[in-house]
Amino acid sequence: GVWILLFFGFLADVKFGAVLLSSRPSLSASHLSLAHLYVGVLLVLQTAVTAKWVSRKHRLSFFRLVFRTCCLVPLAPVSFSENLFADFLTSIGRPLKDFAYTVCYLGHWRGMDVLEIRSNCQASDGLAWFGLQLMLVMPLIIRMWQCIRRVRDTGVCFLHLLNCGKYATTILVSIL
């Protein structure tokens, strides 16, 4: 029942500005809406629910995997789980970029019209553009380092360097 109420309140607020803008003028001045509340509540509930599903040992193991994959790439041999995790990161690059656009939209949608929001959120200059490109390219750089490290560890040059070239080409395409 609560989810349905929140969802329809979210729709009413997005479509008509009907929920929080008319009842709370202080919120409309700060450009907050039910959309912000809805997303915040969902994130808190999801974190609370999933925190109970995963034990402390497994959470620490996951954070160790993230650290080894993102920070220790050229320094240590690459395990299968690190390889798989980096491959997963390369696969979700585009959804992460879309998530960044969603955050930008939710941050600006009350104060501007649609064309201004699109131009601000899709601007190809400045720090925001650099951050989005870094978000897309960083997993590819990690995979390149993993391929180079595999060459060092296994001695098989051709296949790992060919795979490294694939990621280097992808970086060039995503930047251009």
Side-chain angles (χ1 to χ4, degrees):
V2 173
W3 290 109
I4 293 172
L5 219 117
L6 275 174
F7 180 71
F8 282 113
F10 168 73
L11 285 179
D13 196 38
V14 168
K15 187 72 176 167
F16 308 110
V19 179
L20 286 182
L21 287 181
S22 58
S23 63
R24 300 271 192 266
S26 61
L27 287 176
S28 65
S30 65
H31 302 295
L32 290 177
S33 69
L34 193 60
H36 297 92
L37 178 67
Y38 183 72
V39 170
V41 166
L42 282 179
L43 287 174
V44 167
L45 285 176
Q46 181 181 4
T47 303
V49 168
T50 57
K52 291 182 180 184
W53 292 347
V54 181
S55 70
R56 178 175 165 81
K57 175 184 154 191
H58 289 98
R59 276 187 301 227
L60 291 175
S61 177
F62 176 73
F63 289 129
R64 183 178 164 265
L65 173 69
V66 171
F67 178 73
R68 283 185 51 90
T69 303
C70 297
C71 301
L72 300 179
V73 167
L75 304 175
V78 180
S79 69
F80 177 73
S81 60
E82 292 165 4
N83 187 18
L84 193 62
F85 183 68
D87 196 41
F88 167 74
L89 289 177
T90 60
S91 299
I92 68 164
R94 185 63 190 179
L96 285 176
K97 187 175 181 181
D98 292 341
F99 176 72
Y101 285 134
T102 303
V103 169
C104 180
Y105 176 77
L106 285 175
H108 294 96
W109 73 286
R110 280 287 183 206
M112 303 180 215
D113 67 354
V114 174
L115 294 176
E116 286 178 303
I117 293 170
R118 285 185 185 158
S119 66
N120 281 347
C121 292
Q122 294 180 350
S124 61
D125 59 345
L127 190 61
W129 180 84
F130 179 75
L132 286 174
Q133 294 307 316
L134 186 66
M135 192 182 305
L136 284 174
V137 170
M138 197 54 145
L140 299 169
I141 292 171
I142 290 170
R143 286 294 288 144
M144 272 182 45
W145 275 108
Q146 283 182 343
C147 292
I148 292 168
R149 181 62 196 210
R150 290 262 190 188
V151 168
R152 181 176 179 263
D153 292 342
T154 63
V156 178
C157 287
F158 181 72
L159 291 177
H160 293 300
L161 289 179
L162 189 65
N163 202 18
C164 182
K166 175 181 74 174
Y167 291 113
T169 306
T170 306
I171 289 172
L172 288 175
V173 168
S174 67
I175 290 176
L176 300 177

